[in-house]
Amino acid sequence: MSDLTAKVYKSGENSLVVEGHEDLKYNFHYTTAVFDVNDAKLADIYKRWGRVLIVMDQIVHPIYKAQVERYFGHYDIAITWKIVNGGEMNKTMDTMLEIVDAMDSFGTVRTEPTLVIGGGLVTDVSGYACASYRRSSNFIRIPTTLIGLIDASVSIKVGINHKKLKNRLGAYHAPLHTFLDFSFLKTLPVGQVRNGFAELVKIATVGDRAVYDLLVKHGKELVETGFGYKEGGDGVKAPGQEICHRGIETMLQLESPNLHELGLDRVIAYGHTWSPTLELTPRIPLRHGHAITIDMAYSITLAHARGILSDAQRDQWFTLVTSVGLSIDHDLFTPELIGVATEAIKKTRDGKQRFAIPDGDFGKCVFLNDVELEELQSVLAIHKAFVKERYGSGEGKEAYVDAGDLGANPEEYVAQGSVKSAGSLKHKGINGDDAKTAAVQAGAVPIDGTGHVVNGVMGVVH
């Protein structure tokens, strides 16, 4: 919840200045079973209203509907459901306006919080609806995926895609409360656990050595058992909890001083330099966790090539991510893509590279701004040779998005033109124009026919 106050004063004879600040407070609650009737913390928030509007996606709803109804029924709080289609194809203005209409029909009062339950996509879209409704209204979020719990839940960014452009519309709008219940991982498919695990690798590699060591020790079993919440996982539940809690708290410590991302040297941008373009380049997109792990792996090779990391450190890191089935290379991670993606990301980083890499040890970070394209491409050749010799293709398990990620069958996604020039894309071979298209879709500013990022009106991207 925030409160914006300001004062007015004269600046010269013909000018006025309004100067203010925003007081911001929002809460995180660790809980082992948020819908346990013996835990009244969530219900207590809604008792004054006697009702709750719940936004949930169609995948999570049938799994948890009965449990949620039992919980609120126990406290005599009436539920109104708004079920939305999940997946990237539904991260749209249409879905956002559906939620706005539901709030309007419900008669939401500005201070009354909408309850949002689901993965990062539904919390993003619903958060944007709440940011827009009556110019600002409260919401409470309960993330149900690992990425939602340890990454999306930490940020106050909310938003939607516009046409083929990811997260092009949005706002900074903090929830009133976030309830963090890792027991949801019991029902999360292993591919999605692996997807979220990549974000923990990101945080640990450049932000928390203790978490990194725990991931090295327990990584494979954590992924296979949903961090101890699935059958046979009791032995890793305690370290899993420590990893997740420390990961969240490290993210908050790193991001809270920079909530509006005005500071561009961002530690948590590790793994997010080339991955935004790579993720959307294949005919069927890569899962986010696999795309950022390829980016991170290449960054590890870059650090090693510069003598910043030793052979042993490099090998330990690659053993960690491959042991859990994450990708470390892709056929379409090419010299041309490196060039396009580097130039695109610099436009979001005020013209600098700001490549985040481990600084001599894991848990520490340094930013590089002096890497020439020739060095990047040379390191890419070293990276590919290393991966091929040790790990084969470098492709991980369940690396590509599925119907749950997209909100549609992947082939339908391609057929509907959600990937521009999809018919020409193949896993083995892609032309540079398509890499440029992917860079634009990922949020870069337009790119002209020479491969350079340009300002102003975009011409045709083939």
Side-chain angles (χ1 to χ4, degrees), residues 176-194:
L176 196 61
H177 300 274
T178 299
F179 286 83
L180 300 166
D181 179 0
F182 288 88
S183 69
F184 285 113
L185 301 183
K186 183 176 183 179
T187 59
L188 191 68
V190 67
Q192 291 294 355
V193 177
R194 184 182 298 112

Side-chain angles (χ1 to χ4, degrees), residues 221-242:
E221 193 175 356
L222 287 168
V223 169
E224 291 173 348
T225 67
F227 280 69
Y229 285 95
K230 297 183 180 182
E231 186 177 352
D234 290 344
V236 293
K237 187 176 285 186
Q241 178 174 292
E242 182 180 355

Side-chain angles (χ1 to χ4, degrees), residues 52 74 138 159 165 216 230 248-250 272 330 391 396:
V52 57
H74 179 80
N138 287 330
L165 305 173
V216 168
K230 297 183 180 182
I248 288 167
E249 288 155 29
T250 298
H272 291 72
H330 195 282
Y391 307 101

Side-chain angles (χ1 to χ4, degrees), residues 25-270:
K25 181 181 179 180
Y26 53 107
N27 305 280
F28 293 84
H29 309 282
Y30 295 120
T31 177
T32 53
V34 65
F35 296 119
D36 184 337
V37 295
N38 295 311
D39 185 348
K41 185 173 286 186
L42 177 62
D44 285 344
I45 297 168
Y46 288 97
K47 279 183 178 177
R48 62 173 290 202
W49 308 103
R51 64 177 192 167
V52 57
L53 172 63
I54 301 178
V55 181
M56 187 183 278
D57 74 51
Q58 90 283 10
I59 294 175
V60 178
H61 182 250
I63 301 171
Y64 289 102
K65 176 178 182 286
Q67 191 175 338
V68 173
E69 288 181 338
R70 184 164 55 250
Y71 177 80
F72 283 110
H74 179 80
Y75 292 100
D76 296 320
I77 295 168
I79 295 173
T80 297
W81 292 100
K82 174 55 186 174
I83 310 305
V84 298
N85 293 323
E88 194 69 22
M89 289 181 68
N90 297 301
K91 192 176 181 179
T92 62
M93 181 66 76
D94 286 345
T95 304
M96 181 267 215
L97 292 176
E98 279 186 36
I99 297 167
V100 168
D101 288 342
M103 296 170 73
D104 210 39
S105 297
F106 186 71
T108 301
V109 179
R110 180 181 284 182
T111 57
E112 182 179 13
T114 300
L115 181 59
V116 182
I117 307 170
L121 185 138
V122 72
T123 57
D124 272 2
V125 179
S126 300
Y128 188 40
C130 291
S132 304
Y133 189 74
R134 299 186 186 277
R135 297 187 178 89
S136 180
S137 60
N138 287 330
F139 74 112
I140 292 171
R141 60 186 173 190
I142 301 178
T144 59
T145 65
L146 187 55
I147 282 184
L149 285 158
I150 54 94
D151 186 63
S153 70
V154 173
S155 173
I156 65 169
K157 294 184 294 186
V158 294
I160 59 174
N161 301 336
H162 175 58
K163 297 182 179 177
K164 297 178 177 67
L165 305 173
K166 285 176 68 70
N167 299 317
R168 187 51 59 95
L169 300 175
Y172 294 99
H173 186 59
L176 196 61
H177 300 274
T178 299
F179 286 83
L180 300 166
D181 179 0
F182 288 88
S183 69
F184 285 113
L185 301 183
K186 183 176 183 179
T187 59
L188 191 68
V190 67
Q192 291 294 355
V193 177
R194 184 182 298 112
N195 198 30
F197 187 89
E199 293 286 358
L200 285 167
V201 172
K202 174 194 76 175
I203 298 163
T205 301
V206 290
D208 193 321
R209 177 58 195 257
V211 171
Y212 176 81
D213 289 339
L214 287 169
L215 293 178
V216 168
K217 184 176 181 179
H218 301 290
K220 190 170 187 291
E221 193 175 356
L222 287 168
V223 169
E224 291 173 348
T225 67
F227 280 69
Y229 285 95
K230 297 183 180 182
E231 186 177 352
D234 290 344
V236 293
K237 187 176 285 186
Q241 178 174 292
E242 182 180 355
I243 288 166
C244 291
H245 288 197
R246 285 188 65 119
I248 288 167
E249 288 155 29
T250 298
M251 286 273 284
L252 284 170
Q253 289 163 4
L254 290 170
E255 286 295 279
S256 293
N258 189 31
L259 286 173
H260 284 193
E261 298 180 357
L262 298 178
L264 298 177
D265 283 341
R266 299 176 64 228
V267 174
I268 65 167
Y270 172 58

Side-chain angles (χ1 to χ4, degrees), residues 347-407:
K347 278 296 181 181
T348 71
R349 296 177 179 175
D350 201 23
K352 293 186 176 182
Q353 293 173 331
R354 306 180 197 269
F355 299 157
I357 62 170
D359 187 12
D361 196 5
F362 297 115
K364 300 177 182 179
C365 185
V366 66
F367 298 93
L368 303 180
N369 288 297
D370 63 345
V371 191
E372 297 293 338
L373 180 59
E374 291 76 13
E375 181 182 358
L376 289 172
Q377 294 177 337
S378 172
V379 168
L380 181 63
I382 293 168
H383 176 75
K384 287 185 172 293
F386 172 74
V387 170
K388 184 177 181 180
E389 180 184 349
R390 299 277 189 97
Y391 307 101
S393 71
E395 184 174 312
K397 299 177 181 177
E398 301 176 281
Y400 297 92
V401 296
D402 62 14
D405 298 301
L406 289 172

